[in-house]
Amino acid sequence: MTRPADIYLRFLQLAEAVRGLPSLPALDPLEQRILECVGRAGLAKAQLSVRDLIHHAELGSPSTLHARLKSMREKGWIQLSDTEDTRRKQVELTQAALRHFARLSDCVVRAARRDG
């Protein structure tokens, strides 16, 4: 019999292996939080603009956020799309980022299966 924490710990082990794959450049912890925020908005089918992200105080100052968004675009994790208002940009995950989340999802499933 395994401890309930073992599933999560196996997931972390599998996820670390996925993060080591040569798909996209690594993210720093703040970029990872931004990516997860963008992913959650996409899951909720909500449009998320740069201005919306600025309102998340936990993501840092506007200049920090802009620098991270630029870095994440250059690394291939996010893309900015035009909206009806040309001054606003919508933040979206790239196909490569979606594939990354799919691989992490597989890790969750694999970790849970080993428990049963």
Side-chain angles (χ1 to χ4, degrees):
M1 180 169 286
T2 60
R3 301 171 297 167
D6 289 346
I7 293 172
Y8 183 70
L9 295 172
R10 274 196 300 274
F11 162 72
L12 290 178
Q13 184 179 34
L14 293 167
E16 188 64 31
V18 166
R19 286 187 183 97
L21 294 175
S23 55
L24 290 173
L27 298 172
D28 68 31
L30 177 56
E31 290 172 340
Q32 184 66 40
R33 286 200 323 247
I34 294 168
L35 187 74
E36 291 165 358
C37 186
V38 173
R40 285 191 305 273
L43 181 65
K45 306 280 191 248
Q47 290 191 353
L48 183 68
S49 69
V50 173
R51 183 178 295 176
D52 296 331
L53 281 172
I54 289 172
H55 293 326
H56 289 270
E58 73 275 8
L59 299 179
S61 69
S63 62
T64 297
L65 183 63
H66 281 286
R68 290 307 200 284
L69 290 175
K70 180 180 178 186
S71 170
M72 293 171 72
R73 284 180 63 206
E74 290 170 353
K75 292 176 181 178
W77 288 97
I78 61 167
Q79 59 191 12
L80 300 180
S81 304
D82 290 327
T83 63
E84 304 82 39
D85 182 349
T86 57
R87 297 169 296 171
R88 292 178 67 128
K89 298 290 183 186
Q90 181 174 333
V91 184
E92 300 172 331
L93 298 176
T94 62
Q95 287 301 314
L98 290 170
R99 283 191 299 273
H100 173 74
F101 280 125
R103 285 191 292 267
L104 289 176
S105 177
D106 290 342
C107 291
V108 170
V109 171
R110 288 175 54 200
R113 277 194 198 133
R114 284 190 60 191
D115 188 55

